[in-house]
Amino acid sequence: MNSRDILSTSFAPTAVRNMLRMFFPPLLSAVLLIGLCQQGLAQHEALELGAEEPATPALPTGGATLFQNVRIFDGKNAALSAPSSVLVKGNTIEQISANAAAAEAGADIRVINANGRVLMPGLIDAHWHMFMAAASPAIITTADPGYLNLLAAQQADATLMRGFTTIRDMGGPVFGLKRAIDEGITVGPRIYPSGAMISQTSGHGDFRARYEVPRSLSGPLSQSEIAGIAAIADSPDEVRLRAREQLRQGASHNPIESTQFTEAELHAAVEAAENWGTYVAVHAYTPAAIRQAIAAGVKCIEHGQLIDEPTAQLLADKGIWWSLQPLTYDAAVFARMSPVSQKKALEVFAGTENAYKLAKKYRIKTAWGADILGDAGAASRQGQYLAMMTRWYTPAEALKMATADNGELMALSGFINPYPGKLGVVEVGALADLLLVDGNPLEDINLVADPDKNFVVIMKDGKIYKNTLSK
């Protein structure tokens, strides 16, 4: 969730304001995301919403691909390799050789001469909303579902062309989009879906309009529930049911957010997820919300900018993942916020500095995500949010977080992992999600902020989707 985008809506209609308010809840709040991060955020129509031009169709490769004369950032080490070659067969990395010109005689191999460029893992965004990153709340709440899904497919294409070969979708109806990408019907990154955000009444994921409240137990679903954006649950049994529904549809992990759910309700979601071999992630900002989630068995905390030091140490002691986002002050967006929203935002922005300081101090397992909502322009700058991390980390540390570390978090989905295999690294046996960079991102991380210019080859699952060297 990008607070800057969510709070700048004082001019919006009541229903839209209500939706945005719920995206940035009171400072003691909690939303449950269940599932495996699903695909699906829409990119807006270019003229109307300033979205990027759709990427060119995929250029699938046949046989094998050999990257010659590359310097490798493997996702872990802070130094590049000596000139090397990397052989990809099928969808995995089969061989890495210190011979910069290595080749297999007689094999059907497509050779890419990198001329010393940097080969690195595809980027991973651990907190993305494919269905909602670029589509405005007004469009999401009023447009035809078919139109919204087409926008989502366009945004998925653009996300891959920004070098993000995997995203963990932390709330939204992206199961269909994920399937279409996996089947080659459309182009996009790997999607670890959560499905609908499970929320209590009045919680972080309660996007209902006033006329949809109150609800009766046997009454009709609200519009946001029908769309698969949210699922309202107000008891342990109801939470367990909604969690299982998302898992049945293909969720790979499970999320939650405020001191809204009780510990018993949170534990019900954890029980459902663990029975499927996966985990729960919870949107939580405050120490009370975070501690309650930990007590219930949650494995990943999203946001957490208002954490205190004892709670940070508890995360470290328990080995809990902390999915932090670089939410910081943006003067242009801040000026459009209401006074109430500005006050909340300033607390979160200030908390961001402290949160990263504590994450480093206690060596907490930290994931990176951009968390953009409702802003096509911000979504197009996804890589800039990663480059921003040098405010707290070295370029190598930030890139490790967005590759190898995030890949480790994806694997937490266990036996229902939709993409079994190693992500976020360049090593033998890993899945072949690779970027060839014109420049050294370990020296200049801002290269990732301009993917059109600097990512000359984009490969996902062994297939080449961009190759400007062939022109």
Side-chain angles (χ1 to χ4, degrees), residues 292-445:
Q292 181 170 274
I294 293 171
V298 166
K299 297 292 179 65
C300 185
I301 299 297
E302 307 296 317
H303 311 307
Q305 277 85 358
L306 304 183
I307 199 169
D308 59 17
E309 189 154 353
T311 305
Q313 185 166 7
L314 182 63
L315 287 177
D317 293 344
K318 295 286 188 179
I320 306 296
W321 278 90
W322 191 358
S323 178
L324 259 173
Q325 303 79 38
L327 303 181
T328 57
Y329 179 79
D330 184 313
V333 176
F334 187 79
R336 297 197 297 269
M337 295 179 184
S338 70
V340 173
S341 294
Q342 287 180 342
K343 182 179 179 181
K344 293 179 183 178
L346 287 173
E347 289 186 65
V348 172
F349 299 161
T352 297
E353 294 287 342
N354 184 57
Y356 279 118
K357 180 180 70 174
L358 292 174
K360 293 185 70 174
K361 178 178 179 179
Y362 290 102
R363 300 180 181 273
I364 297 168
K365 293 189 290 187
T366 308
W368 173 86
D371 192 17
I372 307 299
L373 280 175
D375 189 326
S380 72
R381 299 190 298 273
Q382 190 175 8
Q384 292 183 21
Y385 288 84
L386 175 55
M388 186 189 303
M389 294 295 290
T390 53
R391 184 166 173 173
W392 306 283
Y393 296 89
T394 67
E397 289 170 335
L399 290 170
K400 178 177 179 289
M401 196 180 296
T403 54
D405 292 351
N406 277 358
E408 185 181 343
L409 175 58
M410 300 304 109
L412 208 62
S413 297
F415 65 79
I416 64 170
N417 187 338
Y419 309 107
K422 204 159 190 180
L423 290 170
V425 293
V426 181
E427 62 182 49
V428 173
L431 292 171
D433 293 359
L434 299 167
L435 305 176
L436 189 62
V437 186
D438 196 3
N440 184 355
L442 296 182
E443 294 178 350
D444 181 10
I445 197 174

Side-chain angles (χ1 to χ4, degrees), residues 111-171:
V111 177
I112 296 177
N113 189 344
N115 291 318
R117 292 180 174 88
V118 172
L119 188 72
M120 63 175 287
L123 298 170
I124 301 172
D125 192 323
H127 195 119
W128 192 245
H129 295 277
M130 192 68 80
F131 195 80
M132 294 177 285
S136 71
I139 288 178
I140 290 174
T141 55
T142 59
D144 179 84
Y147 175 74
L148 292 173
N149 280 291
L150 288 172
L151 292 180
Q154 188 183 40
Q155 178 61 208
D157 190 333
T159 301
L160 180 61
M161 290 303 104
R162 292 192 288 266
F164 289 89
T165 54
T166 298
I167 63 102
R168 190 174 65 134
D169 193 284
M170 296 307 290

